[in-house]
Amino acid sequence: MSQEEYIVGQCRKGNRDAQKLLYETYAGWLLGVCLRYVGQRSTAEDLLHDGFVQILTNIDHFQWRGEGSLKSWMLKLQHSVIMKHIRNDARQSILILADDSSQPLEEIPNPENVGGIPGKILMQLIGELPIGYRTVFNMHVIDGLSHRDIAETLGIKEKSSASQLMRARRMLAIKINAWRKENL
């Protein structure tokens, strides 16, 4: 039995030590996920708390599918909490920009290849993207979700997800090039 299976089994029994261990094991990682989406530490901490409430409330629904399945399941629940917050936040009422995917996009440099740019700077540049672009970029590039999963989570079409990702990459590439000109 793996450590993940053991922790889940104990959490299902209401073992507080196991719940604490689950939190201590994954809270830092999930806080990082929250920070990528909302940018403000206090909001990210609130979302992390809400995410763990969901995780512990729904632990009986988790199905072990091998190593890493707990982490994937937790990420999906945390995404759900984050997306609900973004949708409900009146200051960010437009989550996904209008889908104008009929317009052709020029070839852009792949912003994932950012040699020479410190990770902290890259995360800052990603954080400057409009919320819709940043959300899809984070979900696809960083969290590794498919356009189908993103579309399902956000309630949009797969084409809209792909379109938002292309626009995010284009905007990020511009930001990266500007940073390089100023700093390298």
Side-chain angles (χ1 to χ4, degrees):
M1 176 182 290
S2 74
Q3 181 181 7
E4 285 183 349
E5 286 177 293
Y6 175 77
I7 292 172
V8 168
Q10 292 300 306
C11 285
R12 285 178 173 156
K13 293 177 182 177
N15 181 318
R16 296 283 186 193
D17 291 333
Q19 292 171 348
K20 181 180 176 188
L21 181 58
L22 181 73
Y23 181 85
E24 290 172 348
T25 302
Y26 295 102
W29 167 67
L30 287 173
L31 179 61
V33 170
C34 294
L35 280 167
R36 282 199 324 266
Y37 285 93
V38 296
Q40 297 172 330
R41 186 167 188 91
S42 62
T43 303
E45 288 171 350
D46 289 344
L47 292 173
L48 173 67
H49 175 267
D50 293 347
F52 262 95
V53 168
Q54 289 296 313
I55 289 165
L56 294 173
T57 300
N58 292 292
I59 197 78
D60 288 336
H61 300 290
F62 169 70
Q63 294 179 1
W64 177 258
R65 291 189 171 100
E67 199 64 35
S69 61
L70 176 61
K71 196 171 180 178
S72 295
W73 179 77
M74 290 172 60
L75 179 63
K76 186 173 183 173
L77 287 178
Q78 189 67 61
H79 273 149
S80 176
V81 169
I82 293 167
M83 294 308 119
K84 182 178 179 184
H85 166 77
I86 289 172
R87 282 191 298 270
N88 292 336
D89 189 342
R91 291 172 290 131
Q92 298 173 355
S93 60
I94 300 175
L95 173 63
I96 302 297
L97 302 177
D99 179 19
D100 55 355
S101 57
S102 60
Q103 295 179 357
L105 296 174
E106 66 272 9
E107 271 303 307
I108 57 169
N110 187 344
E112 295 157 310
N113 299 324
V114 290
I117 297 182
K120 184 176 181 177
I121 299 298
L122 180 58
M123 294 310 291
Q124 177 185 335
L125 295 175
I126 292 169
E128 293 173 0
L129 294 172
I131 187 69
Y133 291 175
R134 182 174 68 231
T135 300
V136 172
F137 184 87
N138 276 319
M139 292 178 84
H140 186 75
V141 175
I142 298 175
D143 295 332
L145 297 177
S146 69
H147 288 298
R148 175 180 281 183
D149 291 338
I150 294 168
E152 184 179 303
T153 301
L154 299 179
I156 61 174
K157 296 179 181 177
E158 285 182 54
K159 278 187 160 186
S160 295
S161 174
S163 172
Q164 294 297 304
L165 178 61
M166 283 297 285
R167 286 170 177 73
R169 285 183 168 170
R170 178 174 50 196
M171 187 176 281
L172 185 58
I174 291 167
K175 289 179 176 292
I176 288 169
N177 289 336
W179 185 89
R180 281 185 172 148
K181 285 179 184 176
E182 293 176 16
N183 297 288
L184 297 180

